[in-house]
Amino acid sequence: MDPNALRGNYPHSQSCVCLNAGTRCHLIILPLSRLVPDLMAVLTHTMDVGALTPFLWGFEEREKLMEFYERVSGARLHAAYVRPGGVAFDLPHGLLNDIFHWATQFSSRVDEIEQVVTGNRIWKQRTVGIGKVTAQEALDYSFSGVMLRGSGIKWDLRKVAPYDKYDEVRILAPELSCVCLSLSCLGRVRCSHRQERRLL
């Protein structure tokens, strides 16, 4: 979870946009902040098993996300955007349109990455049946995120223990439909790809 996400649950502060507007801005930016580390995890995994091209494609998408961060907060990696009571600033003019245009093409980029990687026999040899984790093992080791869903357990913190007004907002809970039963590296990567698509 984004550490900034926990800070939005405190009473309103005078240095913030009003709570309702701030919450809406936060609910727009937070999925993008989730996507950055997820994208990098999948891409560095593909690079580790021998595929360099998908990493370069995905890094380009990551840079676009970092640009959104920079526009909204002035920082790229440590965006101190979420503040107690809301967010530091309103969204800049034109940002929502740019995010929409980026989101409409992003799923096709994920398709390209998945097509190059999943059909590769070397990648399959290095992921199919490797790193199997059963549901019980995932619970015993207190796994979360893709590691938990990749072991066949349906879990979405926003539904189980809502924070940041997620209990008041209708969300599609993409993670709940991203459960994989292969229990291996292959399943976790596929789960991540599905989650990246549905997050938008």
Side-chain angles (χ1 to χ4, degrees):
M1 181 189 336
D2 180 0
N4 287 331
L6 299 175
R7 298 187 188 127
N9 290 327
Y10 295 96
H12 180 69
S13 169
Q14 291 182 358
S15 63
C16 297
V17 176
C18 82
L19 186 60
N20 290 336
T23 299
R24 280 192 294 266
C25 295
H26 184 214
L27 293 176
I28 291 167
I29 296 299
L30 189 59
L32 299 179
S33 68
R34 276 194 202 106
L35 192 55
V36 171
D38 189 52
L39 187 61
M40 290 309 295
V42 170
L43 296 171
T44 52
H45 166 74
T46 60
M47 190 171 65
D48 285 346
V49 296
L52 181 60
T53 303
F55 177 79
L56 297 175
W57 288 344
F59 206 81
E60 180 182 349
E61 298 303 317
R62 178 188 176 270
E63 283 303 306
K64 293 173 187 173
L65 290 169
M66 292 288 102
E67 181 187 319
F68 296 150
Y69 272 17
E70 188 173 11
R71 286 172 60 187
V72 82
S73 71
R76 289 175 57 83
L77 293 177
H78 301 288
Y81 181 61
V82 177
R83 302 285 170 90
V87 294
F89 317 103
D90 199 0
L91 295 174
H93 181 70
L95 182 68
L96 290 178
N97 287 335
D98 293 343
I99 291 173
F100 175 78
H101 291 302
W102 172 82
T104 55
Q105 62 83 34
F106 178 69
S107 63
S108 64
R109 183 52 60 108
V110 174
D111 290 340
E112 290 172 346
I113 292 170
E114 194 170 24
Q115 183 180 15
V116 167
V117 172
T118 56
N120 185 305
R121 67 178 172 79
I122 297 170
W123 187 80
K124 286 181 179 178
Q125 289 171 349
R126 295 176 180 178
T127 59
V128 174
I130 305 297
K132 287 189 174 183
V133 179
T134 65
Q136 189 57 50
E137 289 171 333
L139 292 172
D140 291 344
Y141 288 113
S142 301
F143 285 169
S144 63
V146 173
M147 287 295 294
L148 191 61
R149 290 184 292 278
S151 299
I153 298 174
K154 291 184 177 184
W155 178 262
D156 184 353
L157 186 64
R158 296 168 299 168
K159 289 288 188 182
V160 177
Y163 58 93
D164 269 349
K165 304 291 184 182
Y166 277 115
D167 54 340
E168 298 175 18
V169 177
R170 183 179 162 265
I171 58 171
L172 299 177
E175 286 80 1
L176 293 181
S177 57
C178 296
V179 173
C180 296
L181 300 176
S182 74
L183 313 179
S184 67
C185 287
L186 174 68
R188 290 188 288 275
V189 170
R190 287 187 174 160
C191 186
S192 290
H193 284 309
R194 282 190 221 133
Q195 187 171 304
E196 287 167 3
R197 280 191 198 90
R198 294 181 180 156
L199 199 60
L200 304 171

